[in-house]
Amino acid sequence: MDRSENNSVKVTKNMHHQTISAHMTHVIAGGTGGTVGALITCPLEVVKTRLQASTSRAKLAKVSGSKRSAGVIFALRHIVKSEGIGALFRGLGPNLLGIAPSRAIYFGAYARGKSFFNSTFKPESPQVHLCSAGFAGFTACTITNPIWFVKTRLQLDTTHGAYRNSWQCIRYTYKNDGLRGFYKGVSASYVGISETVIHFVIYEQLKQLFRKYHNIEHKNFLDFLSFMGAAAISKTTASCLAYPHEVARTRLREHGTKYRSFVQTLRTVAVEEGFFALYGGLFAHLVRQIPNTAIVMVTYETVVYVLSQV
């Protein structure tokens, strides 16, 4: 092998290592961002889940005297008063266990998808962002659904320990429903990919708009503030458009309920509780998701930037 061939092999290897390094940067950044966001917003996640579920939603409405649903502040106070402040962090274990790999898988798959689709479509076009977000969402949902199932079951436990811990919940589910039990609600999660797609398409377009007015090589505080604003706008829009899948997913994961499929759940909720029940917990969801998404995306962008400078 002559010198030119050796140089060619070295260049190819270096490009390969750089590609792997770039993908690992997105994996690490995604995991870090997800973990920070989950820690800060866990209490609102618990309230949102309670307001989505049929049994706990009805209990909170009865206690508050509301005909439809209790408010976020009332739900927070009631949970602390009746179950203790620790109840606001139910499911935090599987949430932390799941959020880091989930975000790492998602952002890693998203980066890899962009690399592929940029060579297929016009680079950094809406089509690239749409296909990349869809691919990443499907990958993350399929791999991590069992973790979110356990988290939801723990958050809906209002009996002070029907499931004492994640392991007991896992054993009970496997004993009664087998492996399929851990994938309850996955159909709603797949439908929910549309929310992620909308979010990332808008976010990427806003980022491109901001790049016209900012130096992308040397970021400052205003750049990261603009990322936070872009994340908040895109997530709010996506959440409002796709929210009913969240309610359907939570109902499908409840224990011993009549909900069997995604479409059947939507129809049952709308008929029995009214159309607005499909948006139960939306305010709590937005109160949690907007800062959570802003924190996740800014942390992600910060870690990517820092690692790229190393």
Side-chain angles (χ1 to χ4, degrees):
M1 184 179 292
D2 59 28
R3 182 174 298 177
S4 62
E5 289 177 327
N6 278 326
N7 289 336
S8 178
V9 170
K10 288 180 180 179
V11 169
T12 302
K13 286 183 177 180
N14 287 335
M15 291 177 63
H16 178 66
H17 289 313
Q18 287 174 2
T19 301
I20 293 175
S21 177
H23 287 312
M24 283 307 299
T25 294
H26 291 284
V27 168
I28 294 169
T32 304
T35 300
V36 173
L39 281 168
I40 295 174
T41 61
C42 184
L44 290 169
E45 168 72 15
V46 173
V47 170
K48 179 205 73 171
T49 304
R50 296 285 182 90
L51 292 175
Q52 288 175 343
S54 58
T55 304
S56 57
R57 174 184 165 88
K59 286 181 179 178
L60 286 169
K62 184 177 180 179
V63 174
S64 68
S66 173
K67 292 182 179 180
R68 287 184 176 176
S69 178
V72 174
I73 301 300
F74 178 86
L76 279 168
R77 288 176 176 173
H78 179 73
I79 291 171
V80 172
K81 183 179 178 180
S82 60
E83 303 173 50
I85 196 167
L88 294 177
F89 293 90
R90 285 187 184 275
L92 180 59
N95 203 10
L96 290 178
L97 181 66
I99 198 71
S102 175
R103 294 300 184 186
I105 291 167
Y106 183 88
F107 282 103
Y110 185 74
R112 187 168 291 275
K114 280 183 69 174
S115 296
F116 173 78
F117 291 116
N118 272 330
S119 63
T120 305
F121 303 109
K122 180 182 176 182
E124 296 301 324
S125 65
Q127 294 96 320
V128 170
H129 302 145
L130 189 151
C131 292
S132 300
F135 169 69
F138 181 83
T139 303
C141 284
T142 302
I143 295 174
T144 62
N145 194 80
I147 298 173
W148 305 133
F149 169 83
V150 172
K151 182 209 72 171
T152 301
R153 281 287 176 92
L154 290 172
Q155 289 179 339
L156 293 177
D157 175 23
T158 60
T159 59
H160 302 280
Y163 301 118
R164 287 192 298 272
N165 51 50
S166 300
W167 179 241
Q168 188 183 45
C169 180
I170 292 169
R171 289 178 62 187
Y172 180 87
T173 302
Y174 182 74
K175 180 181 178 180
N176 289 274
D177 301 311
L179 289 175
R180 289 183 61 186
F182 294 100
Y183 279 88
K184 287 183 178 179
V186 72
S187 58
S189 292
Y190 286 148
V191 174
I193 292 172
S194 61
E195 177 182 338
T196 307
V197 168
I198 295 168
H199 162 50
F200 267 85
V201 169
I202 296 175
Y203 177 74
E204 291 282 8
Q205 295 305 303
L206 289 174
K207 271 181 61 178
Q208 288 184 15
L209 181 64
F210 292 142
R211 280 173 177 165
K212 293 180 180 179
Y213 305 99
H214 295 281
N215 185 338
I216 64 173
E217 295 298 329
H218 302 285
K219 295 182 174 65
N220 55 38
F221 176 75
L222 289 177
D223 292 304
F224 291 106
L225 194 64
S226 68
F227 291 149
M228 186 176 287
I233 293 169
S234 59
K235 191 62 178 181
T236 301
T237 304
S239 294
C240 289
L241 291 174
Y243 187 75
H245 90 273
E246 291 265 359
V247 174
R249 182 171 59 195
T250 297
R251 298 291 178 101
L252 287 166
R253 288 174 178 170
E254 284 186 80
H255 176 63
T257 59
K258 57 197 169 187
Y259 307 110
R260 298 289 176 267
S261 69
F262 178 72
V263 175
Q264 180 261 346
T265 299
L266 289 179
R267 186 184 298 117
T268 301
V269 173
V271 170
E272 295 184 355
E273 303 174 45
F275 176 77
F276 287 106
L278 294 174
Y279 288 86
L282 174 60
F283 182 69
H285 180 70
L286 292 176
V287 169
R288 173 191 173 273
Q289 280 290 64
I290 294 173
N292 179 70
T293 302
I295 291 166
V296 169
M297 297 308 296
V298 169
T299 304
Y300 167 76
E301 298 284 1
T302 302
V303 174
V304 169
Y305 176 71
V306 170
L307 292 180
S308 67
Q309 303 301 305
V310 176

